[in-house]
Amino acid sequence: MKTNRFAPRPDLKIYLDGELVPAPDAKISVFDHALLYGDGVFEGIRVYNGRIFECQAHLNRLFESAAAIRLEMPVTREELVAAMEKSVKANGVVNGYIRVVVTRGVGTLGIDPQRSACPSLIIIADRIQLFSPDLYEKGMAIITAATCRNHPNAMPPRIKSLNYLNNILAKLEAIQAGCEEAVMLNHEGYVAECTGDNIFIIKDGALRTPPPYAGLLLGITRAVIIKLARRRDIAVQEMMLTRHDLYMADECFLTGTGAEIMPVTRIDNRVIGSGVPGAITRQLLADFVEYRSQ
Ligand code: PMP
């Protein structure tokens, strides 16, 4: 068998259904519906200075995602926080990342979720792979993908589910174009979000971002940026945006747990604004750095 150079560090301790186990032993069944059908939910959370960032907001979103697919959480909110803290401590994570995964559990080969009785809880606390620092200074080049975002009446993007193929198809387009992110339009052609990030533009001094009904994941970082912008009396407009609005923006940036605030300076090879990260983007990035260290 081929050795996998992306295999996790063997000394990593993974929380699996109540126990901390070494990464090579952290395994779930081939009959888990998460594997068979992508039936499950997850969260990606930052740890800054040993503290779980925006913990309540992440818990709310996770429990809501689970409720949306009628998945009974195997732990309470308090138990989950305790388990996350245990994983963070066991792996010596001070500044890093937590991945919480809840699977539907082992079941029969059919899709019926009622025929799988026991959800599994997995927690991975590790270092985080960051974008290179010069991208934050120069800004990222992105594309708009031909793959549109899942229709909200088919697979609501607000559910952070284990089925990310829609995003992966768009990510493949980005990679093909030599980029790291892609904007996904919704089924009506309006901007929704990127494959793993939300998107903002600045136009005439106002901050604009697609509203929830555009069909997007309500990002935790998105909410923080909206709060920080309001604190600075920057007008925040949740409104439908077209690709034209992106091209004509004065500034553009992405938000996400992994990326934090990533300036965008090119979309589909068109230069955005002055071609360098804009003043408001840099201000909000600085505010975010201060906020996360509080
Ligand atoms: N949209 C999608 C599709 C995502 O997967 C994510 C999270 N990686 C985001 C937006 C950003 O959300 P958050 O700020 O909560 O990480």
Side-chain angles (χ1 to χ4, degrees):
M1 225 167 37
K2 263 193 349 189
T3 53
N4 183 356
R5 66 193 172 93
F6 300 111
R9 289 187 287 126
D11 59 326
L12 210 58
K13 297 205 175 43
I14 313 297
Y15 181 100
L16 179 58
D17 294 330
E19 276 177 69
L20 284 170
V21 295
D25 303 331
K27 293 178 178 162
I28 60 160
S29 166
V30 295
F31 290 99
D32 194 310
H33 280 205
L35 176 74
L36 291 173
Y37 299 114
D39 190 354
V41 293
F42 78 103
E43 273 299 313
I45 310 172
R46 280 274 191 158
V47 178
Y48 294 115
N49 304 318
R51 287 210 329 268
I52 300 171
F53 184 65
E54 298 292 285
C55 188
Q56 291 310 314
H58 281 288
L59 289 176
N60 289 344
R61 191 170 68 183
L62 180 67
F63 277 74
E64 200 168 303
S65 290
I69 66 162
R70 298 194 185 183
L71 172 60
E72 202 178 317
M73 285 291 289
V75 287
T76 63
R77 292 167 73 103
E78 292 72 27
E79 286 165 346
L80 180 55
V81 173
M84 287 195 285
E85 281 169 351
K86 197 170 158 184
S87 310
V88 163
K89 216 166 153 196
N91 291 290
V93 174
V94 179
N95 289 294
Y97 180 84
I98 307 172
R99 170 64 58 92
V100 180
V101 182
V102 189
T103 75
R104 182 72 70 178
V106 171
T108 61
L109 283 181
I111 65 165
D112 187 349
Q114 291 170 342
R115 289 175 173 269
S116 60
C118 241
S120 270
L121 172 63
I122 301 163
I123 303 173
I124 306 168
D126 199 359
R127 295 183 284 235
I128 181 161
Q129 180 97 39
L130 299 167
F131 286 121
S132 80
D134 65 293
L135 262 185
Y136 291 87
E137 272 155 42
K138 290 191 196 135
M140 189 182 255
I142 64 174
I143 58 155
T144 52
T147 305
C148 77
R149 192 75 177 99
N150 280 331
H151 192 299
N153 289 340
M155 171 62 237
R158 285 183 63 172
I159 303 173
K160 200 162 169 65
S161 86
L162 291 179
N163 196 322
Y164 254 52
L165 269 182
N166 178 224
N167 314 54
I168 291 165
L169 288 174
K171 178 83 174 185
L172 286 170
E173 290 187 54
I175 294 165
Q176 188 68 31
C179 295
E180 303 209 45
E181 254 297 12
V183 180
M184 301 182 77
L185 309 178
N186 70 11
H187 57 286
E188 290 176 324
Y190 291 103
V191 174
E193 58 178 337
C194 290
T195 69
D197 301 290
N198 293 115
I199 187 162
F200 287 82
I201 59 167
I202 309 285
K203 187 69 178 174
D204 302 329
L207 186 62
R208 295 181 175 168
T209 197
Y213 57 83
L216 48 100
L217 183 76
L218 279 180
I220 307 297
T221 324
R222 175 186 183 277
V224 170
I225 281 300
I226 289 174
K227 182 162 76 178
L228 294 175
R230 290 198 169 123
R231 276 191 197 166
R232 287 220 170 257
D233 287 331
I234 297 169
V236 179
Q237 300 163 343
E238 286 187 86
M239 59 187 282
M240 288 304 214
L241 298 172
T242 60
R243 202 168 58 153
H244 172 82
D245 294 317
L246 301 185
Y247 291 162
M248 296 299 120
D250 299 326
E251 303 180 24
C252 179
F253 63 87
L254 312 181
T255 63
T257 292
E260 300 179 307
I261 318 300
M262 173 60 77
V264 171
T265 45
R266 271 176 185 269
I267 303 178
D268 298 330
N269 246 335
R270 292 178 65 132
V271 172
I272 304 303
S274 56
V276 294
I280 298 179
T281 302
R282 282 186 284 116
Q283 179 67 68
L284 290 171
L285 177 53
D287 288 353
F288 183 81
V289 169
E290 199 190 310
Y291 179 85
R292 75 181 186 200
S293 61
Q294 281 166 9

